[in-house]
Amino acid sequence: MDEEIGGAARQVQWKSYGKTLSLLAFQSFGVVYGDLSTSPLYVYRNSLSGRLNDYIDETTIFGLFSLIFWTFTLVPLLKYVIIVLRADDNGEGGTFALYSLLCRHAKFSLLPNQQAADEELSTYYQPGTDRTAVSSPFKRFLEKHRKLRTCLLLFVLFGACMVIGDGVLTPTISVLSAISGLQDPATSGLADGWIVFIACVVLVGLFALQHRGTHRVAFMFAPVVVLWLLGIGIIGLYNIIHWNPRIFVALSPHYIVKFFKRTGRDGWISLGGVLLAITGTEAMFADLGHFTAASIRLAFVGVIYPCLVLQYMGQAAFLSKNMSAVYNSFYLSIPSPLFWPVFVIATLAAIVGSQAIISATFSIVKQCLALGCFPRVKVVHTSRWIHGQIYIPEINWILMVLCLAVALGFRDITVIGNAYGLACIAVMFVTTCLMSLVIIFVWQKNILISLLFLVFFGAVEGAYLSAAVMKVPQGGWAPIALALVFMSIMYVWHYGTRRKYMFDLQNKVSMKWILNLGPSLGIMRVPGIGLIYTELVTGVPAIFSHFVTNLPAFHQVLVFVCVKSVPVPYVPVDERYLIGRIGPREYRMYRCIVRYGYKDVQKDDENFENHLVMSIARFIQMEAEESASSGRSCESSPEGRMAVVHTTDTTGTGLVVRDSSVDDGCGTSQQLTRSSKSETLRSLQSIYELESVGSVSRRRRVRFQIDEEERVDPQVRDELSDLLDAKEAGVAYIIGHSYVKARKNSNFLKTFAINYAYSFLRKNCRGPSVTLHIPHISLIEVGMIYYV
């Protein structure tokens, strides 16, 4: 009986899992496969252009299809679906996911702000990782040489920049190829100028809609992509039967050998067009975070692979009997009654494919931003429920301008295809190289397995890369130029950020100096909490001594706040806050490190101040309990240990929370906790709150009180009382307004990078106070020059 009940429960679970998997697989068509599924629009047209046009016969067509089939089988199916999708970073994929995995399992990060406490995050190591594994000589060699780690970062940035290049070229070639169906004299016979004009109008409309939410559009059009795939699959099958059923023999790789024997070097150059059949493959891995590996595999094996193979086979069968139709083989191979329905669906599918790569570009920029490799830009989260749905206005309009420039400048699908192919194969080659390192350091496999993976797929992609590089003069220079510009921006920003951090690290204020000042720090301590923002995770930054010498008074409670990114996709909310103490108890100085992953939403947390007070209160209690249990004082070290403090649970803090706001029915509060006891400042803040009804006045106002029912140590009670009094008096946000300058003895390259390039980027990006969501009314800025 129990076995029957257990079997029925398992059957229900499998049905539920199957429904969820099918739904995710269906949704993935609109997000992941829009680009890959529109490749048949231009593959044969690009492959058979140029000198290969002189070799067009049945053998060449069959060989070309054989090349497309085996490329499609080896790279998307074998490499990505079977192997690469297993290298996820807690469900996330893409170039930076691989890099973050490597940074966690080996010391490859160039920014020295990682702590031992970061390794205790539940998302830091993958389940089953052996942390006690002996470090290999190869790993120690890479960790020891800084130049090799710099080269690795540049290699990753190059891959990221090529994805941004994809974000420019994919919408252009997809929309132009779809609209080019109107060139056929049998339909409208529009001239090239009109085709480009219509494509530009569609592109402007596409980018103008981005602010509404990138994936919302893609999910809505998932049925369009499915209909498109099934339609081109059926048309391909019809063409096989109608034109040349012998095309099935071209599945043999023997025809690839015959193809190269006949075409030689010209055939090799045509590989730049063949690789367009696998453009969009990287999206399977890059968009992994929105789905599951199983759903992406199901969609590819069940629909994508058979439908696209049938379409390429059918197009080849048509071309083998209609060799003059090369200039627009896709649309000419469609039976005339189906032309207009296919044209409409092709245009919609091209828009969805463009949408997916634009979305991926936003994600790449967000990850670069989180890892300190991109200037601060505005990131808008377009969904409250689904992670990763973001919109970056500056990047959106830059992409639109570049897309229009490519469309108007090149005007030729073949030339744009040359650029597009180089960008795509470069990203795939970067993924192959990073995967070979992941196999060694993350999967902890034998180095021979890694070399086998690198040599096999590196040889396949290297062949296509060499063919794409040969087309650099015919448009291939475009993604290289774009990559160099974006790489320069990224590396200059990362270099300046790193030099600034190193200056802080080398010029920390000594604890001896602080201890000599005494509990008053040599100045008047006034009521309130002072939040001093710094990038340091240990020690007191040099800018603090600058504050002390310039301000006549400081707050009775000081908290050094560091907001940093950890190389994991997400940091659980309960593990986000690290709290510690600086100096003796009577100094009332604390450190708070707020940790975010590279996919986390760093939103304007309206309860940050409350979370901070609760976290410090819990830390004070934890420290006292530990001191009582161990029988020794926790003040033996002036730089105390850091502790992870949960913010979702208020028990054990010694505090109770009271709601101090009374709603008047209009959404505004009549009794508000003011940020100052000064009548003038209170009236100013009241005016500010009335002007900011949309944000500040809706915040929940709370009052903390010491729990009288709970037995609290007298020293702890005094410290909690000081903390609450400071909170009642108000919170001030203190941040350094830094000016970074190169030292006078620096060489020309460093001087140019810091004084001009980095300075220009800092002046034209969002300020740190805006990025950190610091309320303007409570902000204090003190200027300081950094000579790096």
Side-chain angles (χ1 to χ4, degrees):
M1 185 71 177
D2 291 338
E3 290 182 2
E4 291 179 5
I5 294 173
R10 283 192 296 272
Q11 191 174 6
V12 170
Q13 284 181 340
W14 275 108
K15 282 184 178 179
S16 175
Y17 173 75
K19 286 181 180 178
T20 305
L21 185 65
S22 301
L23 179 63
L24 286 172
F26 174 74
Q27 291 174 335
S28 71
F29 289 110
V31 178
V32 178
Y33 293 114
D35 186 11
L36 189 64
S37 64
T38 54
S39 295
L41 287 167
Y42 43 77
V43 169
Y44 282 104
R45 178 174 181 170
N46 279 73
S47 302
L48 293 168
S49 63
R51 293 183 182 177
L52 203 64
N53 215 8
D54 300 332
Y55 300 92
I56 295 182
D57 59 13
E58 187 176 275
T59 304
T60 303
I61 300 295
F62 278 32
L64 196 59
F65 165 70
S66 190
L67 266 171
I68 292 170
F69 171 77
W70 284 105
T71 303
F72 202 72
T73 301
L74 290 176
V75 179
L77 182 61
L78 179 59
K79 177 189 165 185
Y80 279 88
V81 171
I82 297 177
I83 301 174
V84 174
L85 285 181
R86 294 177 57 232
D88 66 294
D89 181 11
N90 293 288
E92 294 297 325
T95 305
F96 271 95
L98 296 177
Y99 183 64
S100 70
L101 277 173
L102 292 171
C103 287
R104 297 209 300 272
H105 291 78
K107 297 175 182 177
F108 290 157
S109 178
L110 292 173
L111 203 62
N113 66 344
Q114 303 305 317
Q115 301 168 276
D118 295 339
E119 298 185 19
E120 301 303 319
L121 288 168
S122 57
T123 53
Y124 200 86
Y125 288 106
Q126 292 182 315
T129 301
D130 183 10
R131 304 191 194 183
T132 61
V134 180
S135 179
S136 66
F138 181 49
K139 178 181 175 181
R140 291 194 297 270
F141 175 76
L142 289 176
E143 290 177 343
K144 183 180 177 182
H145 291 81
R146 185 183 185 84
K147 289 183 178 178
L148 290 176
R149 289 185 285 137
T150 303
C151 289
L152 178 63
L153 175 66
L154 288 172
F155 192 61
V156 171
L157 291 181
F158 175 74
C161 291
M162 281 299 184
V163 173
I164 296 174
D166 278 354
V168 173
L169 297 166
T170 299
T172 311
I173 193 171
S174 298
V175 173
L176 264 178
S177 299
I179 303 297
S180 68
L182 297 176
Q183 286 180 310
D184 187 5
T187 54
S188 59
L190 285 180
D192 287 348
W194 280 105
I195 297 295
V196 173
F197 174 76
I198 295 171
C200 288
V201 171
V202 172
L203 287 170
V204 171
L206 174 64
F207 283 101
L209 291 173
Q210 291 303 309
H211 69 282
R212 295 187 176 273
T214 54
H215 291 289
R216 189 181 303 168
V217 178
F219 276 119
M220 186 173 66
F221 279 95
V224 173
V225 178
V226 174
L227 186 62
W228 160 258
L229 286 164
L230 294 176
I232 62 174
I234 293 169
I235 290 170
L237 185 61
Y238 165 80
N239 284 333
I240 293 168
I241 297 169
H242 183 263
W243 293 107
N244 195 349
R246 284 191 62 251
I247 189 65
F248 279 100
V249 300
L251 293 174
S252 168
H254 173 66
Y255 279 87
I256 297 177
V257 178
K258 293 173 71 174
F259 173 81
F260 284 118
K261 277 185 178 180
R262 174 167 170 72
T263 59
R265 185 176 180 274
D266 295 331
W268 186 268
I269 295 174
S270 72
L271 289 177
V274 173
L275 71 87
L276 294 177
I278 55 174
T279 55
T281 300
E282 187 70 25
M284 285 195 288
F285 186 47
D287 290 325
L288 186 58
H290 306 299
F291 306 97
T292 62
S295 63
I296 289 176
R297 289 189 180 106
L298 177 64
F300 185 86
V301 175
V303 179
I304 298 290
Y305 187 78
C307 287
L308 289 182
V309 167
L310 282 174
Q311 168 55 213
Y312 287 122
M313 190 182 290
Q315 229 179 118
F318 170 78
L319 279 173
S320 66
K321 302 299 182 183
N322 301 271
M323 295 175 190
S324 61
V326 168
Y327 72 95
N328 202 1
S329 60
F330 174 79
Y331 280 111
L332 293 176
S333 67
I334 298 170
S336 53
L338 298 176
F339 173 82
W340 285 109
V342 171
F343 171 77
V344 172
I345 297 172
T347 305
L348 292 175
I351 291 172
V352 174
S354 304
Q355 179 70 39
I357 194 64
I358 293 168
S359 204
T361 305
F362 291 156
S363 296
I364 282 286
V365 172
K366 166 73 165 56
Q367 291 175 26
C368 292
L369 183 66
L371 296 175
C373 295
F374 204 86
R376 294 179 292 267
V377 291
K378 183 178 181 180
V379 179
V380 180
H381 295 270
T382 56
S383 173
R384 294 182 181 180
W385 302 279
I386 304 174
H387 285 292
Q389 294 195 9
I390 60 174
Y391 164 68
I392 304 177
E394 295 94 331
I395 299 300
N396 183 64
W397 302 123
I398 288 171
L399 288 179
M400 188 191 77
V401 170
L402 291 174
C403 279
L404 294 176
V406 169
L408 294 170
F410 289 146
R411 304 171 66 94
D412 185 354
I413 294 173
T414 302
V415 178
I416 298 173
N418 295 339
Y420 184 36
L422 179 58
C424 290
I425 199 64
V427 176
M428 293 180 194
F429 188 73
V430 169
T431 299
T432 298
C433 295
L434 292 177
M435 266 301 302
S436 64
L437 294 176
V438 167
I439 290 171
I440 300 173
F441 300 129
V442 182
W443 293 355
Q444 298 173 356
K445 302 294 183 183
N446 193 293
I447 194 170
L448 292 176
I449 298 175
S450 172
L451 284 174
L452 183 64
F453 177 89
L454 179 62
V455 170
F456 180 76
F457 290 107
V460 173
E461 291 165 358
Y464 285 105
L465 186 60
S466 66
V469 166
M470 294 175 75
K471 293 189 175 182
V472 165
Q474 291 86 40
W477 57 268
I480 296 176
L482 284 172
L484 288 176
V485 171
F486 279 102
M487 267 188 74
S488 301
I489 292 171
M490 289 181 183
Y491 188 72
V492 164
W493 184 262
H494 186 268
Y495 177 75
T497 304
R498 195 171 74 243
R499 297 304 304 177
K500 183 175 177 291
Y501 185 88
M502 294 303 295
F503 179 90
D504 269 336
L505 202 61
Q506 294 162 4
N507 293 275
K508 289 191 295 187
V509 179
S510 68
M511 285 306 302
K512 183 178 179 182
W513 182 78
I514 292 177
L515 293 173
N516 287 337
L517 292 176
S520 69
L521 298 178
I523 53 178
M524 183 181 291
R525 300 293 288 268
V526 297
I529 297 178
L531 303 184
I532 303 173
Y533 279 80
T534 173
E535 294 176 1
L536 286 181
V537 293
T538 59
V540 177
I543 206 162
F544 176 70
S545 61
H546 202 63
F547 287 150
V548 170
T549 54
N550 282 275
L551 296 176
F554 241 117
H555 302 83
Q556 68 187 83
V557 174
L558 293 177
V559 184
F560 290 87
V561 180
C562 172
V563 179
K564 76 166 189 175
S565 290
V566 186
V568 297
Y570 302 104
V571 174
V573 176
D574 275 347
E575 301 175 31
R576 181 154 292 161
Y577 285 80
L578 266 177
I579 304 293
R581 185 190 296 280
I582 298 176
R585 186 192 298 270
E586 61 269 18
Y587 279 54
R588 303 297 192 253
M589 293 169 64
Y590 310 93
R591 182 185 308 284
C592 173
I593 298 176
V594 189
R595 301 177 293 182
Y596 288 97
Y598 58 81
K599 283 272 188 174
D600 269 324
V601 179
Q602 296 187 30
K603 61 183 177 182
D604 181 8
D605 191 351
E606 61 186 34
N607 295 313
F608 174 70
E609 294 174 9
N610 299 333
H611 284 161
L612 186 65
V613 170
M614 293 297 289
S615 299
I616 294 174
R618 181 185 288 277
F619 170 78
I620 293 169
Q621 290 279 57
M622 288 169 59
E623 187 185 52
E625 290 169 6
E626 186 177 316
S627 177
S629 62
S630 63
R632 59 184 177 84
S633 173
C634 290
E635 295 179 6
S636 55
S637 172
E639 181 76 26
R641 72 175 186 83
M642 305 292 290
V644 177
V645 178
H646 297 179
T647 57
T648 55
D649 186 12
T650 60
T651 58
T653 60
L655 303 180
V656 290
V657 181
R658 307 289 185 204
D659 196 339
S660 65
S661 61
V662 180
D663 195 56
D664 65 357
C666 301
T668 58
S669 298
Q670 293 177 332
Q671 296 176 355
L672 299 177
T673 303
R674 298 302 176 195
S675 66
S676 175
K677 294 180 180 178
S678 162
E679 290 296 329
T680 305
L681 290 179
R682 286 171 62 180
S683 64
L684 284 173
Q685 186 170 7
S686 178
I687 294 170
Y688 174 78
E689 287 169 348
L690 288 173
E691 291 176 350
S692 308
V693 173
S695 57
V696 178
S697 61
R698 284 202 299 264
R699 293 185 176 183
R700 180 177 174 236
R701 302 301 175 127
V702 298
R703 183 185 295 275
F704 295 101
Q705 296 176 352
I706 297 176
D707 192 350
E708 299 297 338
E709 298 178 4
E710 191 174 334
R711 293 183 60 185
V712 182
D713 181 86
Q715 276 191 320
V716 173
R717 182 179 290 273
D718 288 344
E719 191 168 4
L720 290 176
S721 179
D722 286 347
L723 179 65
L724 298 189
D725 288 344
K727 174 67 170 67
E728 287 298 309
V731 179
Y733 296 77
I734 305 164
I735 191 168
H737 190 91
S738 55
Y739 298 88
V740 184
K741 302 287 184 183
R743 291 194 183 100
K744 290 183 179 179
N745 59 348
S746 302
N747 58 45
F748 171 77
L749 198 60
K750 181 180 176 181
T751 302
F752 178 80
I754 296 295
N755 291 357
Y756 298 98
Y758 182 66
S759 177
F760 175 80
L761 292 174
R762 279 175 63 88
K763 287 177 182 176
N764 290 278
C765 71
R766 287 162 68 85
S769 60
V770 180
T771 308
L772 295 168
H773 307 291
I774 295 175
H776 185 69
I777 194 172
S778 306
L779 175 65
I780 301 172
E781 285 189 285
V782 176
M784 181 175 176
I785 298 178
Y786 283 67
Y787 288 102
V788 300

